Structure formats: structure tokens, C-alpha cells
Amino acid sequence: MPELGPSPLAAGHELPVDVARARVLASLRPITDRETLPLGRALGRVLAEPVISPIDVPAHDNSAMDGYAFRGADLASDRDTVLQPLADTVFAGAPTSPQVPPGHAVRIMTGAVMPVGLDTVVPIELCRVDAAGVHIAAGVLRPGENRRPQGEDLARGKPALAAGTVLGPAEMGLVASLGLSELAVLRRLKVALFSTGNELRTLGQPLDPGCIYDSNRYSLMAALQRLGVEVLDLGLVPDDPAALNATLDRAIAEADVVLTSGGVSMGDADYTRDLLAARGQVDFWKVAMRPGRPFAFGPLDGPGGRRAWLFALPGNPVAALVTYYVFAREALLVLSGATPRPLPGLRARSVAAIRKRPGRSEFQRGIVEPAEGGGWQVRLTGAQGAGILRSMAEANALVCLRHDQGSVAAGDEVEVWLFDGLR
Ligand code: AMP
Ligand code: MG
């Protein structure tokens, strides 16, 4: 197991977000177990090996337009070209195509195989047809245009998709275009999820005085489902060492990852810290970020020598989700075997000033919208407390204010991560 170094919490200082992120990512090992799936069931899965194209796509030179096919050599550059049309039309999917002599053209449809010797198509809207033939005005077309060459999309024997690719709609179509009906994918990462806290109630239970509903399990479950991992929902665990230990044993026995929220702060009723610390090399970090300071990560020991990766997120609902996006999301992709890509972000002008002190990262909730006169602007949503989930539900983006950054003036550009990009 990797050496994660002494706990910075013990040393009493806060860890910058980038340092904490790098530590998490540096110690992970992706799963390697694979399975074979029919293409139709592979959406969202990770390729276990590259997909090598067994054929050229397209398999033949073909027409990119509806029009007339002819020889590019017949095209005059200084005057109109007149070609003699054949009576035939070449349709897509036709098994044979006609012989077309020089000086002639044949009507052709998009996707139809180019007849032998022909290399150019004039789109129907760029020519004029009368009794004298097919007229192409000088200068409207160059030889070779509107022809899709064989193998243009994918060449036979070449990798069409790399190992680690997550299969999305375009990848599904691409694999189908190769005629492949099955794929080798990695098994899905399994994540055990539970919430801790005596004050929590599950949906359907009455809300006793002083209690709140467990919302984190639903926001985190949704985030995990979007990520495409398998979720083992272990429900609510009270702040009780025996219950917590039993749940951890089960989580480690059945899952690759244990994702919890609550109980990692310094609160009196939080036993989670001590229990986790007793299992393996979990590190407790006080991260220099807002929201979401406490965060624990590391390998957890379970029964029978099993190990699982722990991500223990803070309990405050906004902090739980923000720390998930900042630390857990990319790490789970890496563990899944996916080639991680940085979150798609953009820069937007802040409508108002934002107070921020250097020395910690802040993730505020904002609404990004098109600015008058082009570009994007962002305004913060209401109260930004770590427990105010409404600020996040109203937002469509996280405004990311970097560690060293100070206050933002109205009109300054800030970095934003769009929730819709936060798969
Ligand atoms: P903790 O990190 O356990 O000290 O919790 C911090 C705050 O988040 C407390 O106000 C908790 O009541 C709240 N909290 C913890 N877990 C959840 C949860 N699963 N759903 C909603 N709120 C929670
Ligand atoms: Mg708690």
C-alpha cells in the first residue's frame, strides 16, 4: 500500500486542495477484472482493451451529396463544364454501379458507392440540367470534392478507440459502424454508500424533534449513478461503534470503495474517526477549502484481508457534494479504469464582487448564463452556507476560486465548473 505520509491534521495545518487531490490520485490502482458485454448493454462502461477496426469505414469511396458523379479530370477551370448524363441513378446500398465513360456523369445519391473511375460529385443544387447535358459553372467545384474516401472515418487494423474510453453515444455508434456486437469492458466499480449520524432519519420515518432527513445519501447516490458505478446502499448508521464496525465490515467485504458522509469532523458524537483510524492507513485531512474542510481518505482493512478505498466526506450537505466533486469523482473514474479528463470548465465574468481571502479554495454556487454582448457571466445563488442545499439546487455551476486568489471585483473573470458537465 502507498505511504501517504504523516497526517497534516496532526501537524495542525491545512492542506491545499491541489495537494490533497494529487495525493488521492497518486495512490489509486484501477480495477482490472473484465467481462464481455453485448454492445447494447455497454453504455457508460470502460473499455478493457483498444477496439481495433476490423474493416475500413466507409468500406468504399462514396458520395457525400445527392448530385452527379463524374471524373474530376473532366472539369474545366476556365469555362462551364457540360457532361452527358446516363439514364441510370446510383442509390446507396446498390450492389453494382454502372460504367461511366469520360465526359459523362451519373445521378448519384448520398452514401452510394462511387462508380469505378469517378472521383467527384457535383451537388444537385450546384448544377443545371437541360437537353444539352449537366452544366457546371466555372469555379463552383474542384476535382475530388464531395467524395468520402474509403477508410476516411476508420482504417482497418488501426485502433478506433483506446482502452480506458468510457462508452458514450458516439462511441456506441462508432463500435456499431465496425460491425462489432460484443466488447471487452472492465467490471463496474462497486461503491458502498452510507450516512452516519444519530440525528438522521430515513425517508418514510417520522421526523423526531431535533432530527433531519438524510439527504446526503440521495445526492451522493445520484452522483454515483451518473458516474456509472454500481452502488451498494447501506443506509443510515447511527453514531454507535458496534453498528459502524458491522457496516464497515460488510462494506469492505462487498465493495471496492466505501463512501460515507458525516462523522469526520471533531464533534463529540463522531466515533467514525477513531474507528476508521483503527483500520489501515486512513488519513484525516483538514483541507484548506470552503465548504468542506474535514475529509478522510485511504485504504481500509476489513475481514479476511479485504481492502477497500475510503472516501469519508463531511456531513454538511453542500460540503458533502462539493468534496465529492473535488476529490471523489475523478478518483472513482480512475479506480474504474477510465482515462480521466479534467472537468470541463469555462471562464465567466462575475456580475458582482465576491469576497475571498487567499490561502484556501472556495467553491461557491452560481448561475452561469450568456452575457449581453457575448461570453458568459455568473452570479452567486443566495446564502452560501455549507448546509444550504438550496444554494446548490438553484445553481448550474460551481464558481471555483483558487487557493491563492483574493477577492473578485464585479466584472472580473472567474473559473466555473458546469454541473451538467459534472457527470
Ligand atoms: P458531521 O460532519 O457529522 O459533524 O455533520 C455536520 C452537519 O451535517 C450536521 O449538521 C449534520 O446534521 C449534517 N449532516 C450529516 N450527515 C447528513 C446527511 N446524511 N444528510 C443531511 N445532513 C447531514
Ligand atoms: Mg455527525
Side-chain angles (χ1 to χ4, degrees), residues 68-288:
Y68 284 88
F70 63 100
R71 285 178 173 72
D74 287 338
L75 206 56
S77 54
D78 49 348
R79 61 196 147 75
D80 289 5
T81 300
V82 185
L83 301 162
Q84 298 314 307
L86 304 190
D88 289 332
T89 296
V90 195
F91 291 98
T96 58
S97 58
Q99 296 286 334
V100 183
H104 288 67
V106 66
R107 187 95 166 88
I108 195 164
M109 297 303 180
T110 304
V113 174
M114 293 290 282
V116 176
L118 307 193
D119 59 5
T120 307
V121 174
V122 59
I124 196 73
E125 58 273 21
L126 287 187
C127 62
R128 183 171 56 82
V129 185
D130 63 15
V134 179
H135 301 252
I136 306 169
V140 302
L141 199 67
R142 283 190 309 266
E145 279 194 302
N146 304 312
R147 177 192 55 133
R148 296 192 283 228
Q150 175 175 348
E152 172 190 62
D153 192 357
L154 302 162
R156 177 181 180 159
K158 293 271 159 55
L161 293 171
T165 300
V166 180
L167 294 159
E171 289 78 11
M172 300 286 282
L174 189 148
V175 173
S177 76
L178 299 176
L180 300 175
S181 55
E182 286 188 333
L183 284 175
V185 297
L186 295 172
R187 76 165 167 84
R188 289 207 295 166
L189 189 75
K190 193 163 177 185
V191 180
L193 174 68
F194 63 89
S195 300
T196 68
N198 285 336
E199 76 282 22
L200 301 179
R201 291 294 175 270
T202 207
L203 300 184
Q205 290 181 331
L207 205 54
D208 301 320
C211 290
I212 57 171
Y213 283 117
D214 169 16
S215 60
N216 290 348
R217 207 152 35 92
Y218 288 86
S219 50
L220 293 171
M221 187 145 21
L224 292 171
Q225 283 167 349
R226 267 198 175 185
L227 208 57
V229 300
E230 192 180 337
V231 183
L232 174 65
D233 180 3
L234 295 180
L236 266 183
V237 181
D239 290 314
D240 162 57
L244 208 48
N245 255 328
T247 307
L248 282 171
D249 277 349
R250 177 166 175 216
I252 299 164
E254 292 187 34
D256 305 294
V257 173
V258 181
L259 184 68
T260 68
S261 67
V264 280
S265 60
M266 293 297 213
D268 278 343
D270 292 335
Y271 297 86
T272 319
R273 289 179 59 89
D274 301 339
L275 282 188
L276 296 175
R279 292 173 180 257
Q281 301 162 34
V282 174
D283 242 320
F284 295 87
W285 294 335
K286 215 161 153 190
V287 183

